[in-house]
Amino acid sequence: MKLVAGNSNRALAEAIAAHLSTPLTRCVVRRFADMEVFVEIQENVRGEDVFILQSTSFPANDNLMELLILLDALKRASARRVTAVIPYYGYARQDRKPGPRTPISAKLVANLITHAGADRVMTLDLHAGQIQGFFDIPTDNLFAAPVMVRDIKERFDTSKLMVVSPDVGGVVRARGLAKRIDAPLAIVDKRRERPGESEVMNIIGDVQGRACILVDDIVDSGGTLCNAAAALMQKGATSVHAYITHGVLSGGAVARISASQINELVITDSIQATEAVRVSHNIRVLSIAPLMGEAMRRTATEESVSSLFD
């Protein structure tokens, strides 16, 4: 078993390597003067089971290109099997045609990864579960819910919690977490006027006197979360915490969340935290290294991965 890391999330790769007691394979991933990506694997990988650790987060195109070239380098080096471990799968929000003459970029990226030489893919909390079907190779979509549930149970009195989906599309995800902690479910009904902006319209469910846990897969601009938190507090919630898998946090999202009524935003390290995230007073990062590492170990030893989430 060999672990190869790109540049997108070196800290997570090192944490996974430590969990597996397996050093990262020596490799060089650098840029030429014109920003072309150059890769050189500096250890023998012939006949090995290799896992590439690379999120396709910001800068998405650079990190995606690194992943594709790493795949090509390993296949040409005669690796027996190459698994692309992509904690955050970029372009996942482009999983369908929202209008005429628009692409389905999530499918295009799946094709690129497959044709570059991946034998299987492992990712975390896909924005849309059907993206697994975009790949013609085995694909494992892991869930951060067990990590979040453990943290919630350690920090809250679950008898006073209310799990809240920030939109109708996230109800299945929120219901799954609510079931794990035996808490009721509420839904924020919102109308999005244009991309990146949202207006909260109504709260479905009684949140009076409840500590609310907002659950979603991606926080980008933070507008939806902040509006939802304000609406929940207006309806009598005692506090609002948010548990989100992927902290994209683009633009002024960190400042927006810091100034909002969200008591704490909890994200995973599927995307490497920026300095602004690290110093924020109300953003905390949970590590998914043990979860990802155990799934990789089970894949290498041909054990069940789904039993991790039973």
mmCIF file with all atom_site columns, all heavy atoms in Angstrom, residues 244-266:
data_model
loop_
_atom_site.group_PDB
_atom_site.id
_atom_site.type_symbol
_atom_site.label_atom_id
_atom_site.label_alt_id
_atom_site.label_comp_id
_atom_site.label_asym_id
_atom_site.label_entity_id
_atom_site.label_seq_id
_atom_site.pdbx_PDB_ins_code
_atom_site.Cartn_x
_atom_site.Cartn_y
_atom_site.Cartn_z
_atom_site.occupancy
_atom_site.B_iso_or_equiv
_atom_site.pdbx_formal_charge
_atom_site.auth_seq_id
_atom_site.auth_comp_id
_atom_site.auth_asym_id
_atom_site.auth_atom_id
_atom_site.pdbx_PDB_model_num
ATOM 1   N N   . ILE A 1 244 ? -21.089 21.340 8.945  1.00 0.00 ? 244 ILE A N   1
ATOM 2   C CA  . ILE A 1 244 ? -21.001 21.281 7.483  1.00 0.00 ? 244 ILE A CA  1
ATOM 3   C C   . ILE A 1 244 ? -19.755 20.483 7.099  1.00 0.00 ? 244 ILE A C   1
ATOM 4   O O   . ILE A 1 244 ? -18.680 20.701 7.668  1.00 0.00 ? 244 ILE A O   1
ATOM 5   C CB  . ILE A 1 244 ? -20.910 22.700 6.868  1.00 0.00 ? 244 ILE A CB  1
ATOM 6   C CG1 . ILE A 1 244 ? -21.944 23.637 7.500  1.00 0.00 ? 244 ILE A CG1 1
ATOM 7   C CG2 . ILE A 1 244 ? -21.051 22.637 5.365  1.00 0.00 ? 244 ILE A CG2 1
ATOM 8   C CD1 . ILE A 1 244 ? -23.374 23.322 7.197  1.00 0.00 ? 244 ILE A CD1 1
ATOM 9   N N   . THR A 1 245 ? -19.881 19.591 6.122  1.00 0.00 ? 245 THR A N   1
ATOM 10  C CA  . THR A 1 245 ? -18.739 18.748 5.759  1.00 0.00 ? 245 THR A CA  1
ATOM 11  C C   . THR A 1 245 ? -17.633 19.546 5.090  1.00 0.00 ? 245 THR A C   1
ATOM 12  O O   . THR A 1 245 ? -16.474 19.477 5.509  1.00 0.00 ? 245 THR A O   1
ATOM 13  C CB  . THR A 1 245 ? -19.196 17.604 4.830  1.00 0.00 ? 245 THR A CB  1
ATOM 14  O OG1 . THR A 1 245 ? -20.260 16.882 5.450  1.00 0.00 ? 245 THR A OG1 1
ATOM 15  C CG2 . THR A 1 245 ? -18.034 16.650 4.554  1.00 0.00 ? 245 THR A CG2 1
ATOM 16  N N   . HIS A 1 246 ? -17.970 20.277 4.045  1.00 0.00 ? 246 HIS A N   1
ATOM 17  C CA  . HIS A 1 246 ? -16.940 20.928 3.226  1.00 0.00 ? 246 HIS A CA  1
ATOM 18  C C   . HIS A 1 246 ? -16.979 22.450 3.400  1.00 0.00 ? 246 HIS A C   1
ATOM 19  O O   . HIS A 1 246 ? -17.938 23.111 2.994  1.00 0.00 ? 246 HIS A O   1
ATOM 20  C CB  . HIS A 1 246 ? -17.132 20.587 1.739  1.00 0.00 ? 246 HIS A CB  1
ATOM 21  C CG  . HIS A 1 246 ? -17.216 19.122 1.463  1.00 0.00 ? 246 HIS A CG  1
ATOM 22  N ND1 . HIS A 1 246 ? -16.165 18.265 1.699  1.00 0.00 ? 246 HIS A ND1 1
ATOM 23  C CD2 . HIS A 1 246 ? -18.242 18.357 0.970  1.00 0.00 ? 246 HIS A CD2 1
ATOM 24  C CE1 . HIS A 1 246 ? -16.528 17.039 1.362  1.00 0.00 ? 246 HIS A CE1 1
ATOM 25  N NE2 . HIS A 1 246 ? -17.774 17.067 0.919  1.00 0.00 ? 246 HIS A NE2 1
ATOM 26  N N   . GLY A 1 247 ? -15.945 23.007 3.992  1.00 0.00 ? 247 GLY A N   1
ATOM 27  C CA  . GLY A 1 247 ? -15.870 24.448 4.201  1.00 0.00 ? 247 GLY A CA  1
ATOM 28  C C   . GLY A 1 247 ? -15.202 25.152 3.036  1.00 0.00 ? 247 GLY A C   1
ATOM 29  O O   . GLY A 1 247 ? -14.018 25.486 3.090  1.00 0.00 ? 247 GLY A O   1
ATOM 30  N N   . VAL A 1 248 ? -15.961 25.398 1.962  1.00 0.00 ? 248 VAL A N   1
ATOM 31  C CA  . VAL A 1 248 ? -15.412 26.113 0.798  1.00 0.00 ? 248 VAL A CA  1
ATOM 32  C C   . VAL A 1 248 ? -15.095 27.555 1.202  1.00 0.00 ? 248 VAL A C   1
ATOM 33  O O   . VAL A 1 248 ? -14.013 28.075 0.926  1.00 0.00 ? 248 VAL A O   1
ATOM 34  C CB  . VAL A 1 248 ? -16.400 26.074 -0.385 1.00 0.00 ? 248 VAL A CB  1
ATOM 35  C CG1 . VAL A 1 248 ? -15.879 26.912 -1.554 1.00 0.00 ? 248 VAL A CG1 1
ATOM 36  C CG2 . VAL A 1 248 ? -16.635 24.628 -0.833 1.00 0.00 ? 248 VAL A CG2 1
ATOM 37  N N   . LEU A 1 249 ? -16.045 28.225 1.846  1.00 0.00 ? 249 LEU A N   1
ATOM 38  C CA  . LEU A 1 249 ? -15.852 29.545 2.470  1.00 0.00 ? 249 LEU A CA  1
ATOM 39  C C   . LEU A 1 249 ? -15.131 30.531 1.553  1.00 0.00 ? 249 LEU A C   1
ATOM 40  O O   . LEU A 1 249 ? -14.049 31.026 1.840  1.00 0.00 ? 249 LEU A O   1
ATOM 41  C CB  . LEU A 1 249 ? -15.091 29.387 3.794  1.00 0.00 ? 249 LEU A CB  1
ATOM 42  C CG  . LEU A 1 249 ? -15.828 28.549 4.859  1.00 0.00 ? 249 LEU A CG  1
ATOM 43  C CD1 . LEU A 1 249 ? -14.922 28.278 6.045  1.00 0.00 ? 249 LEU A CD1 1
ATOM 44  C CD2 . LEU A 1 249 ? -17.112 29.237 5.297  1.00 0.00 ? 249 LEU A CD2 1
ATOM 45  N N   . SER A 1 250 ? -15.761 30.844 0.433  1.00 0.00 ? 250 SER A N   1
ATOM 46  C CA  . SER A 1 250 ? -15.172 31.748 -0.551 1.00 0.00 ? 250 SER A CA  1
ATOM 47  C C   . SER A 1 250 ? -15.480 33.197 -0.213 1.00 0.00 ? 250 SER A C   1
ATOM 48  O O   . SER A 1 250 ? -16.403 33.503 0.550  1.00 0.00 ? 250 SER A O   1
ATOM 49  C CB  . SER A 1 250 ? -15.715 31.417 -1.945 1.00 0.00 ? 250 SER A CB  1
ATOM 50  O OG  . SER A 1 250 ? -17.121 31.570 -1.967 1.00 0.00 ? 250 SER A OG  1
ATOM 51  N N   . GLY A 1 251 ? -14.679 34.093 -0.781 1.00 0.00 ? 251 GLY A N   1
ATOM 52  C CA  . GLY A 1 251 ? -14.917 35.523 -0.613 1.00 0.00 ? 251 GLY A CA  1
ATOM 53  C C   . GLY A 1 251 ? -14.904 35.946 0.840  1.00 0.00 ? 251 GLY A C   1
ATOM 54  O O   . GLY A 1 251 ? -14.015 35.609 1.611  1.00 0.00 ? 251 GLY A O   1
ATOM 55  N N   . GLY A 1 252 ? -15.935 36.689 1.248  1.00 0.00 ? 252 GLY A N   1
ATOM 56  C CA  . GLY A 1 252 ? -16.015 37.181 2.621  1.00 0.00 ? 252 GLY A CA  1
ATOM 57  C C   . GLY A 1 252 ? -16.820 36.281 3.539  1.00 0.00 ? 252 GLY A C   1
ATOM 58  O O   . GLY A 1 252 ? -17.392 36.753 4.534  1.00 0.00 ? 252 GLY A O   1
ATOM 59  N N   . ALA A 1 253 ? -16.865 34.976 3.246  1.00 0.00 ? 253 ALA A N   1
ATOM 60  C CA  . ALA A 1 253 ? -17.705 34.051 4.008  1.00 0.00 ? 253 ALA A CA  1
ATOM 61  C C   . ALA A 1 253 ? -17.307 33.994 5.484  1.00 0.00 ? 253 ALA A C   1
ATOM 62  O O   . ALA A 1 253 ? -18.171 33.983 6.364  1.00 0.00 ? 253 ALA A O   1
ATOM 63  C CB  . ALA A 1 253 ? -17.644 32.657 3.391  1.00 0.00 ? 253 ALA A CB  1
ATOM 64  N N   . VAL A 1 254 ? -16.003 33.964 5.775  1.00 0.00 ? 254 VAL A N   1
ATOM 65  C CA  . VAL A 1 254 ? -15.546 33.837 7.165  1.00 0.00 ? 254 VAL A CA  1
ATOM 66  C C   . VAL A 1 254 ? -15.988 35.058 7.974  1.00 0.00 ? 254 VAL A C   1
ATOM 67  O O   . VAL A 1 254 ? -16.499 34.925 9.091  1.00 0.00 ? 254 VAL A O   1
ATOM 68  C CB  . VAL A 1 254 ? -14.019 33.653 7.232  1.00 0.00 ? 254 VAL A CB  1
ATOM 69  C CG1 . VAL A 1 254 ? -13.531 33.682 8.678  1.00 0.00 ? 254 VAL A CG1 1
ATOM 70  C CG2 . VAL A 1 254 ? -13.608 32.332 6.576  1.00 0.00 ? 254 VAL A CG2 1
ATOM 71  N N   . ALA A 1 255 ? -15.812 36.245 7.409  1.00 0.00 ? 255 ALA A N   1
ATOM 72  C CA  . ALA A 1 255 ? -16.240 37.473 8.099  1.00 0.00 ? 255 ALA A CA  1
ATOM 73  C C   . ALA A 1 255 ? -17.750 37.490 8.283  1.00 0.00 ? 255 ALA A C   1
ATOM 74  O O   . ALA A 1 255 ? -18.257 37.907 9.335  1.00 0.00 ? 255 ALA A O   1
ATOM 75  C CB  . ALA A 1 255 ? -15.788 38.693 7.304  1.00 0.00 ? 255 ALA A CB  1
ATOM 76  N N   . ARG A 1 256 ? -18.473 37.017 7.275  1.00 0.00 ? 256 ARG A N   1
ATOM 77  C CA  . ARG A 1 256 ? -19.941 36.983 7.350  1.00 0.00 ? 256 ARG A CA  1
ATOM 78  C C   . ARG A 1 256 ? -20.405 36.063 8.476  1.00 0.00 ? 256 ARG A C   1
ATOM 79  O O   . ARG A 1 256 ? -21.303 36.403 9.247  1.00 0.00 ? 256 ARG A O   1
ATOM 80  C CB  . ARG A 1 256 ? -20.497 36.518 6.002  1.00 0.00 ? 256 ARG A CB  1
ATOM 81  C CG  . ARG A 1 256 ? -21.995 36.654 5.851  1.00 0.00 ? 256 ARG A CG  1
ATOM 82  C CD  . ARG A 1 256 ? -22.444 36.307 4.435  1.00 0.00 ? 256 ARG A CD  1
ATOM 83  N NE  . ARG A 1 256 ? -21.912 37.250 3.472  1.00 0.00 ? 256 ARG A NE  1
ATOM 84  C CZ  . ARG A 1 256 ? -21.054 36.919 2.499  1.00 0.00 ? 256 ARG A CZ  1
ATOM 85  N NH1 . ARG A 1 256 ? -20.624 35.685 2.374  1.00 0.00 ? 256 ARG A NH1 1
ATOM 86  N NH2 . ARG A 1 256 ? -20.627 37.836 1.663  1.00 0.00 ? 256 ARG A NH2 1
ATOM 87  N N   . ILE A 1 257 ? -19.770 34.908 8.590  1.00 0.00 ? 257 ILE A N   1
ATOM 88  C CA  . ILE A 1 257 ? -20.142 33.944 9.634  1.00 0.00 ? 257 ILE A CA  1
ATOM 89  C C   . ILE A 1 257 ? -19.731 34.459 11.012 1.00 0.00 ? 257 ILE A C   1
ATOM 90  O O   . ILE A 1 257 ? -20.459 34.298 11.996 1.00 0.00 ? 257 ILE A O   1
ATOM 91  C CB  . ILE A 1 257 ? -19.514 32.566 9.323  1.00 0.00 ? 257 ILE A CB  1
ATOM 92  C CG1 . ILE A 1 257 ? -20.243 31.938 8.133  1.00 0.00 ? 257 ILE A CG1 1
ATOM 93  C CG2 . ILE A 1 257 ? -19.550 31.636 10.535 1.00 0.00 ? 257 ILE A CG2 1
ATOM 94  C CD1 . ILE A 1 257 ? -19.526 30.809 7.475  1.00 0.00 ? 257 ILE A CD1 1
ATOM 95  N N   . SER A 1 258 ? -18.578 35.113 11.079 1.00 0.00 ? 258 SER A N   1
ATOM 96  C CA  . SER A 1 258 ? -18.118 35.660 12.359 1.00 0.00 ? 258 SER A CA  1
ATOM 97  C C   . SER A 1 258 ? -19.087 36.708 12.901 1.00 0.00 ? 258 SER A C   1
ATOM 98  O O   . SER A 1 258 ? -19.258 36.844 14.120 1.00 0.00 ? 258 SER A O   1
ATOM 99  C CB  . SER A 1 258 ? -16.722 36.282 12.200 1.00 0.00 ? 258 SER A CB  1
ATOM 100 O OG  . SER A 1 258 ? -15.765 35.293 11.877 1.00 0.00 ? 258 SER A OG  1
ATOM 101 N N   . ALA A 1 259 ? -19.724 37.448 11.993 1.00 0.00 ? 259 ALA A N   1
ATOM 102 C CA  . ALA A 1 259 ? -20.639 38.514 12.405 1.00 0.00 ? 259 ALA A CA  1
ATOM 103 C C   . ALA A 1 259 ? -22.087 38.037 12.522 1.00 0.00 ? 259 ALA A C   1
ATOM 104 O O   . ALA A 1 259 ? -22.973 38.830 12.860 1.00 0.00 ? 259 ALA A O   1
ATOM 105 C CB  . ALA A 1 259 ? -20.565 39.667 11.402 1.00 0.00 ? 259 ALA A CB  1
ATOM 106 N N   . SER A 1 260 ? -22.344 36.768 12.263 1.00 0.00 ? 260 SER A N   1
ATOM 107 C CA  . SER A 1 260 ? -23.714 36.253 12.233 1.00 0.00 ? 260 SER A CA  1
ATOM 108 C C   . SER A 1 260 ? -24.158 35.760 13.613 1.00 0.00 ? 260 SER A C   1
ATOM 109 O O   . SER A 1 260 ? -23.400 35.828 14.591 1.00 0.00 ? 260 SER A O   1
ATOM 110 C CB  . SER A 1 260 ? -23.809 35.094 11.235 1.00 0.00 ? 260 SER A CB  1
ATOM 111 O OG  . SER A 1 260 ? -23.184 33.927 11.784 1.00 0.00 ? 260 SER A OG  1
ATOM 112 N N   . GLN A 1 261 ? -25.367 35.232 13.675 1.00 0.00 ? 261 GLN A N   1
ATOM 113 C CA  . GLN A 1 261 ? -25.912 34.695 14.920 1.00 0.00 ? 261 GLN A CA  1
ATOM 114 C C   . GLN A 1 261 ? -25.584 33.208 15.102 1.00 0.00 ? 261 GLN A C   1
ATOM 115 O O   . GLN A 1 261 ? -26.135 32.561 15.997 1.00 0.00 ? 261 GLN A O   1
ATOM 116 C CB  . GLN A 1 261 ? -27.426 34.912 14.956 1.00 0.00 ? 261 GLN A CB  1
ATOM 117 C CG  . GLN A 1 261 ? -27.815 36.384 14.969 1.00 0.00 ? 261 GLN A CG  1
ATOM 118 C CD  . GLN A 1 261 ? -29.302 36.584 15.147 1.00 0.00 ? 261 GLN A CD  1
ATOM 119 O OE1 . GLN A 1 261 ? -29.900 36.176 16.141 1.00 0.00 ? 261 GLN A OE1 1
ATOM 120 N NE2 . GLN A 1 261 ? -29.928 37.234 14.165 1.00 0.00 ? 261 GLN A NE2 1
ATOM 121 N N   . ILE A 1 262 ? -24.683 32.683 14.273 1.00 0.00 ? 262 ILE A N   1
ATOM 122 C CA  . ILE A 1 262 ? -24.247 31.290 14.423 1.00 0.00 ? 262 ILE A CA  1
ATOM 123 C C   . ILE A 1 262 ? -23.255 31.214 15.582 1.00 0.00 ? 262 ILE A C   1
ATOM 124 O O   . ILE A 1 262 ? -22.223 31.887 15.569 1.00 0.00 ? 262 ILE A O   1
ATOM 125 C CB  . ILE A 1 262 ? -23.581 30.779 13.119 1.00 0.00 ? 262 ILE A CB  1
ATOM 126 C CG1 . ILE A 1 262 ? -24.583 30.788 11.968 1.00 0.00 ? 262 ILE A CG1 1
ATOM 127 C CG2 . ILE A 1 262 ? -23.014 29.372 13.314 1.00 0.00 ? 262 ILE A CG2 1
ATOM 128 C CD1 . ILE A 1 262 ? -23.979 30.492 10.614 1.00 0.00 ? 262 ILE A CD1 1
ATOM 129 N N   . ASN A 1 263 ? -23.583 30.429 16.587 1.00 0.00 ? 263 ASN A N   1
ATOM 130 C CA  . ASN A 1 263 ? -22.678 30.277 17.740 1.00 0.00 ? 263 ASN A CA  1
ATOM 131 C C   . ASN A 1 263 ? -21.366 29.631 17.332 1.00 0.00 ? 263 ASN A C   1
ATOM 132 O O   . ASN A 1 263 ? -20.296 30.045 17.785 1.00 0.00 ? 263 ASN A O   1
ATOM 133 C CB  . ASN A 1 263 ? -23.350 29.439 18.834 1.00 0.00 ? 263 ASN A CB  1
ATOM 134 C CG  . ASN A 1 263 ? -24.568 30.116 19.423 1.00 0.00 ? 263 ASN A CG  1
ATOM 135 O OD1 . ASN A 1 263 ? -25.602 30.216 18.762 1.00 0.00 ? 263 ASN A OD1 1
ATOM 136 N ND2 . ASN A 1 263 ? -24.470 30.601 20.654 1.00 0.00 ? 263 ASN A ND2 1
ATOM 137 N N   . GLU A 1 264 ? -21.461 28.600 16.494 1.00 0.00 ? 264 GLU A N   1
ATOM 138 C CA  . GLU A 1 264 ? -20.249 27.916 16.055 1.00 0.00 ? 264 GLU A CA  1
ATOM 139 C C   . GLU A 1 264 ? -20.524 27.190 14.748 1.00 0.00 ? 264 GLU A C   1
ATOM 140 O O   . GLU A 1 264 ? -21.560 26.546 14.581 1.00 0.00 ? 264 GLU A O   1
ATOM 141 C CB  . GLU A 1 264 ? -19.774 26.917 17.114 1.00 0.00 ? 264 GLU A CB  1
ATOM 142 C CG  . GLU A 1 264 ? -18.436 26.266 16.772 1.00 0.00 ? 264 GLU A CG  1
ATOM 143 C CD  . GLU A 1 264 ? -17.950 25.315 17.846 1.00 0.00 ? 264 GLU A CD  1
ATOM 144 O OE1 . GLU A 1 264 ? -18.750 24.453 18.282 1.00 0.00 ? 264 GLU A OE1 1
ATOM 145 O OE2 . GLU A 1 264 ? -16.787 25.423 18.262 1.00 0.00 ? 264 GLU A OE2 1
ATOM 146 N N   . LEU A 1 265 ? -19.602 27.322 13.808 1.00 0.00 ? 265 LEU A N   1
ATOM 147 C CA  . LEU A 1 265 ? -19.617 26.546 12.567 1.00 0.00 ? 265 LEU A CA  1
ATOM 148 C C   . LEU A 1 265 ? -18.550 25.469 12.683 1.00 0.00 ? 265 LEU A C   1
ATOM 149 O O   . LEU A 1 265 ? -17.379 25.778 12.920 1.00 0.00 ? 265 LEU A O   1
ATOM 150 C CB  . LEU A 1 265 ? -19.330 27.450 11.362 1.00 0.00 ? 265 LEU A CB  1
ATOM 151 C CG  . LEU A 1 265 ? -19.011 26.734 10.034 1.00 0.00 ? 265 LEU A CG  1
ATOM 152 C CD1 . LEU A 1 265 ? -20.205 25.915 9.553  1.00 0.00 ? 265 LEU A CD1 1
ATOM 153 C CD2 . LEU A 1 265 ? -18.583 27.728 8.961  1.00 0.00 ? 265 LEU A CD2 1
ATOM 154 N N   . VAL A 1 266 ? -18.947 24.222 12.526 1.00 0.00 ? 266 VAL A N   1
ATOM 155 C CA  . VAL A 1 266 ? -18.011 23.104 12.595 1.00 0.00 ? 266 VAL A CA  1
ATOM 156 C C   . VAL A 1 266 ? -17.879 22.512 11.197 1.00 0.00 ? 266 VAL A C   1
ATOM 157 O O   . VAL A 1 266 ? -18.880 22.119 10.583 1.00 0.00 ? 266 VAL A O   1
ATOM 158 C CB  . VAL A 1 266 ? -18.494 22.020 13.583 1.00 0.00 ? 266 VAL A CB  1
ATOM 159 C CG1 . VAL A 1 266 ? -17.488 20.880 13.657 1.00 0.00 ? 266 VAL A CG1 1
ATOM 160 C CG2 . VAL A 1 266 ? -18.718 22.629 14.964 1.00 0.00 ? 266 VAL A CG2 1
#
